[in-house]
Amino acid sequence: MSDAAIALRDVTFAWGEAPPVLRIAELRIATGERILLKGPSGSGKSTLVALLAGVLDPQGGTVEVLGQDMKALGRAARDRFRAGRIGLVFQMFNLLPYLSAVENVVLPGRFMAGRAGKRADSVTHAERLLAALGLDDPALYRRSVAKLSQGQQQRVAAARALFARPGLLIADEPTSALDSDSRDQFLNLLAAECAAAGTTLLFVSHDDALAPHFDQTLTMAELAAARPV
Amino acid sequence: MPIHLLALKSLWSRRYVAGLTMLSIALSVTLLLGVQRLRSEAHDGFTRTISGADLLVGPRTGPINLLLYAIFHIGDPDRGISRATYDIIAAKRSIAWTIPLSLGDTHRGFTVIGTDENYFRHYRYGGSEPLGFARGNAFAGSDDVVIGSEVAGHLGYTLGQRIVLSHGLAAVSFADHASHPLHVVGILRATGTPIDRTVHVTLDAISAMHLPPPSPFAGVASSDDQTRARADPYSPYALTAFLVRLKSPQMIFTAQRAINGYRGEPLTAVIPAVALQQLWEVVGVAEKALLVVSALAVATGVLGMAVAMLAGMNERRREMAILRAVGARPGQIFALLMSEVTVLALGGLGLGMVLLNLLILAFGSRLADRYGVIVRPGLPDAQDVALLLLVLAAAGVGGLLPAIKAYRATLADGLTVRV
């Protein structure tokens, strides 16, 4: 057990009998850090995200997230751990189109251990997050996300990922569809929210221009080549 | 947000497909419950073709055969009962009333029954429905005739219509009683029993049509008459059968034994309700087949639901992946799918009930008028509820396949949809 937000050692993953798509000798990210992880398409970034989220199991090695060995958790416990401790934002935002903005944000509360508390508190918290992330028109909160712009949808996705006050926020190329101004504004807001909550941020992208927003930049190639200490 | 609310919102986002799926379940439920109600009503109607009479008495024969020709007018009796015997039994003190039944003539394919005024006064069908007149009233003389609703409807007869009966029970007869025309004085309301297809005349009319002109000795049945009656069931001296109501129901078995052992001539007395039940066991196979067909319709509806859900499953894998990403367990994805199945099935059941009641409201009176089948709108009874629960269980089984597929897909896909 370590006090790092993320600690991976000798991790390999393959789909079935195929050759491994991911090899990581070692990865350590300290709590509260903001990390940019880069790598070309097909380098295993999304697989790494799934391993950290506890949705996939590695064939070898250990994956510790927020001090928890993911392999030691049963499937249901891992799902609850993800709902309560890990926030995820995807490239396509992955919102449920039949729910409103607020309903999408409070969704993790439905699946967290012990639930998120009272519904009214959840909604207030969700609205505060949406406002903090730049979606400050309350008229949009009850609107179906399918009727929001891409930028607005992205803020809803980020608010959903931060809803459970997660220890770790993993963002998988969420800014690839945005122009540079919107992207920078979004990253600043996201970083501020993470700092306020003490959340570690792992931001996956292949965009070099994002590096100034982060404490450290890692590449998939470096992770594969690193030797365990 | 509770899973069932999520299921409702998800279904609403696919409301056209969900609506059609629900409609297909609703139509099969309407068919199933409709058949069940008609079946139940037909059974009740059949077993209550006649009520209120304690015994049906005829010449010595089997109970079902006697019931078939005396009540349902199917088949021919091979002998009759003399009127003298009828008079003796009808005069017994333990008997409240009797209704004589004399068959042997037809009118354009419809059975003619010779009887007396007791028929209209005491005959009961259904629970204990008396015969009622849609128009006119009971016969008063030998020139009068009362016709059933189907006779009137089919032949277009109204009050005052002049008709001539034909001799024999064949559909086509070449011997008309043209010398004794009759006039329609009453048209009965539909009963849903063979009475609707019957022409009723007085026993005197039967005699008048068949006997030679009266002699000074008319009205006294000789022993020769009795012999002739037994040999020829259509003799004007004979009755085909008669119904008996006893003053005390406790006397039924005693009276039945006494009549069966009557020494004057060989007779059979049966309890109508018992004989009707025996007959239903023979003819009830058809209604069971109908229920099987409607159950197959339900199976088709449920299968349609499973197919629609399976077909949409590939498009929904992204939705499942999102739910997994926010912490939903595979079991909760399974529960979500089963909630959707439950919503579709319950919606289908509710809609099916509404459709059935609307159909009953629209066509119920026509069913009653034309076939005497009385089906009333209303909430499901215990039998309906049992059937509805079976449909719900079938929908649950049908929904297992897409739910299991969704469960497996979420495990395989993880956070992204893999093809």
Side-chain angles (χ1 to χ4, degrees):
Chain A
M1 185 108 26
S2 84
D3 57 355
I6 295 173
L8 272 68
R9 180 184 285 257
D10 294 330
V11 169
T12 56
F13 179 83
W15 294 107
E17 300 299 315
V21 293
L22 182 73
R23 285 178 193 278
I24 295 177
E26 182 166 41
L27 169 63
R28 276 182 79 84
I29 297 174
T31 301
E33 267 193 308
R34 287 174 292 156
I35 303 296
L36 174 65
L37 179 64
K38 286 168 52 186
S41 298
S43 60
K45 298 191 297 292
S46 295
T47 304
L48 175 58
V49 169
L51 287 173
L52 292 172
V55 175
L56 296 179
D57 283 325
Q59 270 80 28
T62 57
V63 176
E64 280 186 22
V65 177
L66 303 170
Q68 174 65 55
D69 181 359
M70 298 300 275
K71 226 170 185 175
L73 292 175
R75 200 180 292 277
R78 218 182 296 172
D79 289 325
R80 277 194 295 272
F81 181 78
R82 180 171 58 256
R85 306 293 306 279
I86 303 173
L88 291 157
V89 189
F90 296 94
Q91 184 177 12
M92 297 307 296
F93 316 132
N94 283 359
L95 300 170
L96 292 181
Y98 50 82
L99 297 183
S100 71
V102 165
E103 285 170 337
N104 263 288
V105 174
V106 300
L107 198 56
R110 170 66 186 81
F111 304 108
M112 285 162 56
R115 302 285 171 87
K118 287 182 182 172
R119 186 183 174 278
D121 295 344
S122 298
V123 170
T124 307
H125 179 48
E127 289 176 350
R128 192 202 64 75
L129 276 171
L130 286 168
L133 287 165
L135 203 67
D136 45 13
D137 180 2
L140 300 175
Y141 298 168
R142 263 78 189 170
R143 190 176 292 177
S144 162
V145 289
K147 292 176 181 165
L148 301 182
S149 70
Q150 278 210 326
Q152 290 167 334
Q153 286 186 22
Q154 190 198 46
R155 282 160 172 75
V156 174
R160 185 182 67 192
L162 289 164
F163 174 79
R165 299 179 180 88
L168 172 65
L169 178 67
I170 303 172
D172 189 359
E173 306 201 36
T175 56
S176 57
L178 300 182
D179 60 65
S180 59
D181 285 347
S182 303
R183 182 194 64 198
D184 288 343
Q185 187 199 15
F186 173 72
L187 280 172
N188 289 335
L189 290 169
L190 189 64
E193 271 303 307
C194 285
T199 300
T200 304
L201 174 62
L202 178 64
F203 200 98
V204 179
S205 177
H206 55 262
D207 187 352
D208 287 327
L210 301 181
H213 292 279
F214 297 91
D215 300 328
Q216 190 183 350
T217 300
L218 299 172
T219 66
M220 291 302 289
E222 287 169 355
L223 297 183
R227 296 263 58 89
V229 180
Chain B
M1 179 178 296
I3 288 282
H4 66 267
L5 198 56
L6 203 60
L8 275 177
K9 287 184 178 258
S10 177
L11 279 175
W12 180 250
S13 72
R14 293 171 282 118
R15 51 190 168 277
Y16 298 112
V17 173
L20 284 174
T21 306
M22 207 179 271
L23 186 64
S24 92
I25 295 175
L27 287 176
S28 59
V29 165
T30 303
L31 182 66
L32 180 71
L33 290 188
V35 164
Q36 164 61 18
R37 289 218 183 155
L38 285 174
R39 181 175 160 261
S40 166
E41 181 60 32
H43 173 260
D44 288 353
F46 182 88
T47 52
R48 294 184 297 176
T49 301
I50 175 170
S51 61
D54 294 323
L55 293 171
L56 169 64
V57 181
R60 181 63 50 83
T61 184
I64 290 180
N65 190 39
L66 174 60
L67 192 74
L68 279 175
Y69 70 71
I71 303 299
F72 290 96
H73 313 151
I74 297 169
D76 301 330
D78 55 3
R79 52 188 5 190
I81 308 169
S82 72
R83 288 201 191 180
T85 296
Y86 168 70
D87 290 339
I88 291 167
I89 293 174
K92 297 286 183 192
R93 277 191 302 173
S94 59
I95 289 175
W97 50 256
T98 56
I99 298 174
L101 303 169
S102 175
L103 285 79
D105 287 334
T106 58
H107 175 68
R108 298 180 66 177
F110 291 102
T111 304
V112 173
I113 288 184
T115 184
D116 62 16
E117 63 279 2
N118 273 357
Y119 188 90
F120 303 106
R121 195 177 301 150
H122 297 301
Y123 196 102
R124 296 285 186 274
Y125 68 98
S128 60
E129 300 280 325
L131 295 177
F133 285 86
R135 272 164 288 168
N137 42 46
F139 46 56
S142 62
D143 293 338
D144 297 342
V145 61
V146 171
I147 58 177
S149 62
E150 201 173 320
V151 180
H154 190 74
L155 300 178
Y157 286 174
T158 54
L159 297 182
Q161 176 79 38
R162 180 178 179 273
I163 68 171
V164 170
L165 306 186
S166 305
H167 189 65
L169 286 175
V172 177
S173 172
F174 297 102
D176 288 342
H177 298 295
S179 61
H180 195 90
L182 304 164
H183 292 88
V184 176
V185 296
I187 299 172
L188 293 169
R189 280 204 299 264
T191 63
T193 71
I195 292 170
D196 298 345
R197 299 182 294 278
T198 306
V199 174
H200 307 85
V201 297
T202 61
L203 288 173
D204 288 344
I206 296 284
S207 299
M209 281 183 274
H210 293 85
L211 291 174
S215 73
F217 306 105
V220 181
S222 68
S223 59
D224 285 348
D225 295 338
Q226 291 190 29
T227 308
R228 271 187 286 170
R230 286 198 292 273
D232 177 7
Y234 304 130
S235 154
Y237 303 104
L239 290 179
T240 307
F242 60 94
L243 294 164
V244 174
R245 172 75 173 194
L246 298 162
K247 285 179 180 162
S248 164
Q250 282 81 24
M251 295 291 293
I252 289 177
F253 295 109
T254 310
Q256 186 183 23
R257 274 197 302 276
I259 293 171
N260 284 335
Y262 182 69
R263 293 188 178 194
E265 60 181 300
L267 298 174
T268 298
V270 301
I271 300 170
V274 174
L276 280 165
Q277 191 56 45
Q278 286 173 345
L279 186 54
W280 180 256
E281 281 165 19
V282 177
V283 301
V285 177
E287 53 95 29
K288 285 192 182 76
L290 207 57
L291 191 65
V292 169
V293 170
S294 52
L296 286 176
V298 169
T300 308
V302 167
L303 207 59
M305 177 195 70
V307 168
M309 291 188 76
L310 277 173
M313 200 50 69
N314 224 27
E315 297 164 19
R316 298 187 62 196
R317 284 171 73 177
R318 188 162 168 263
E319 179 187 344
M320 305 302 162
I322 296 169
L323 289 168
R324 289 281 281 144
V326 297
R329 295 184 288 284
Q332 288 171 316
I333 303 285
F334 179 86
L336 174 73
L337 268 287
M338 289 309 286
S339 295
E340 290 183 14
V341 167
T342 308
V343 169
L344 286 173
L346 284 175
L349 296 185
L351 191 60
M353 284 300 305
V354 170
L355 273 176
L356 178 66
N357 281 313
L358 287 176
L359 283 172
I360 291 172
L361 282 172
F363 300 107
S365 58
R366 192 177 297 181
L367 265 179
D369 289 347
R370 193 168 282 189
Y371 303 107
V373 178
I374 301 159
V375 188
R376 293 186 179 86
L379 292 171
D381 60 17
Q383 258 186 330
D384 290 344
V385 169
L387 278 177
L388 292 176
L389 287 176
L390 274 177
V391 174
L392 198 59
V397 172
L400 276 178
L401 195 59
I404 288 171
K405 192 173 180 213
Y407 172 88
R408 286 187 173 162
T410 57
L411 287 178
D413 288 340
L415 301 179
T416 51
V417 177
R418 299 179 65 230
V419 287

